[in-house]
Amino acid sequence: MDRFSTVGIVAAMEVELELLRSSLEEVRTISLASGTCYMGRIGNHTVAAVLCGIGKVSAALAVQELIDRFQPDCVINTGCAGGIAEGIKIGDIVISDQVSEWDLDSTALGLPRGYVCSLNTADIPADKALSDRIAAAVPEGMTVRTGRIVSGDQFVSRQEQRDIILGTFPDALCAEMEGAAVGHVCAQNRVPFSIIRCMSDTADHQSNVDFYDFAAGAGRTCNRILMKLLSD
Ligand code: ADE
């Protein structure tokens, strides 16, 4: 990420963008088909942040609009997620090294689960330099892991969903509903991307309750990390 770059940010929910948006200087609001875009400055960076709503299609639309209208140098997706990996806890941070669409299922046609025809893979690599810089902005004392993030148009709370995810992607660290769509669109446009997520729940029978208690805090945590990244 260059010193004076334009950074596209995508968040699904208000609580996942609020803090970052309130830190933007010289902010202006632009209405897009995908949602509201907040354009402003943090440090030396121009930031275009879209609040896109939940789900992969919403996120994909937002990223394509960001790319077409503002030509960002990179795109970052921020928000909360349900922890999948053994031992992962609410409040832990996950940064992507790759993303996959766990609910994309053409297995009946002999294709691997998550396979994206246009990219010829189920594994969409995030930009390593960007992911490393995000990891370096995580405050001391927080638990941070870098690895695979999986996305689907389902809130994960049932064992059968976890079984599908881990049966296909045993290295999945967390599940959410936008990141792989952001990665998919960025890959097709050759725009570097990364995903930062803070765990609001552990994607199990308790996740719908935990989500409401912890999503706002998780959203703020990611925003703080991004603000440090952008102002350094
Ligand atoms: N975002 C936060 N928690 C989630 C979960 N359990 N499943 C999908 N998306 C999430």
Side-chain angles (χ1 to χ4, degrees):
M1 204 172 68
D2 295 333
R3 236 168 113 60
F4 298 100
S5 57
T6 297
V7 179
I9 296 200
V10 176
M13 299 185 309
E14 176 73 27
V15 292
E16 295 173 320
L17 196 62
E18 223 169 17
L19 187 64
L20 196 128
R21 188 183 60 199
S22 64
S23 305
L24 288 173
E25 289 166 26
E26 301 161 41
V27 65
R28 66 193 170 99
T29 302
I30 302 155
S31 184
L32 302 179
S34 57
T36 307
C37 177
Y38 303 91
M39 190 120 198
R41 299 191 69 79
I42 297 181
N44 291 317
H45 299 284
T46 301
V47 173
V50 185
L51 186 57
C52 69
I54 293 170
K56 292 192 298 167
V57 176
S58 303
L61 178 60
V63 176
Q64 192 62 58
E65 279 198 299
L66 270 181
I67 292 172
D68 290 345
R69 297 198 40 158
F70 309 115
Q71 292 85 43
D73 297 290
C74 65
V75 172
I76 301 172
N77 173 225
T78 180
C80 56
I84 295 279
E86 187 77 38
I88 199 159
K89 293 199 262 324
I90 291 171
D92 288 356
I93 302 292
V94 173
I95 298 165
S96 58
D97 72 350
Q98 57 188 322
V99 294
S100 297
E101 297 178 52
W102 75 264
D103 64 340
L104 178 53
D105 183 4
S106 303
T107 52
L109 304 178
L111 296 168
R113 180 176 276 272
Y115 180 79
V116 179
C117 298
S118 49
L119 297 173
N120 190 28
T121 184
D123 312 316
I124 307 169
D127 186 76
K128 184 167 170 10
L130 180 59
S131 295
D132 287 349
R133 291 195 58 169
I134 297 172
V138 176
E140 285 282 306
M142 295 200 80
T143 302
V144 54
R145 305 190 199 199
T146 300
R148 187 191 298 272
I149 296 178
V150 297
S151 314
D153 283 319
Q154 296 179 30
F155 187 86
V156 178
S157 61
R158 298 190 304 277
Q159 190 58 42
E160 72 215 52
Q161 295 168 303
R162 295 180 64 91
D163 290 345
I164 293 171
I165 291 170
L166 287 169
T168 316
F169 305 107
D171 58 351
L173 296 180
C174 67
E176 35 79 314
M177 301 175 74
E178 296 84 24
V182 171
H184 181 155
V185 174
C186 283
Q188 291 206 218
N189 287 274
R190 298 182 198 287
V191 173
F193 79 93
S194 188
I195 316 295
I196 176 168
R197 295 280 174 165
C198 181
M199 301 308 103
S200 56
D201 58 85
T202 45
D204 53 19
H205 59 280
Q206 179 68 21
S207 63
N208 53 337
V209 178
D210 287 341
F211 178 81
Y212 285 109
D213 288 343
F214 298 111
R220 275 194 298 273
T221 298
C222 290
N223 277 200
R224 267 192 215 102
I225 294 165
L226 289 183
M227 276 146 52
K228 172 147 175 47
L229 171 85
L230 295 167
S231 43
D232 274 355

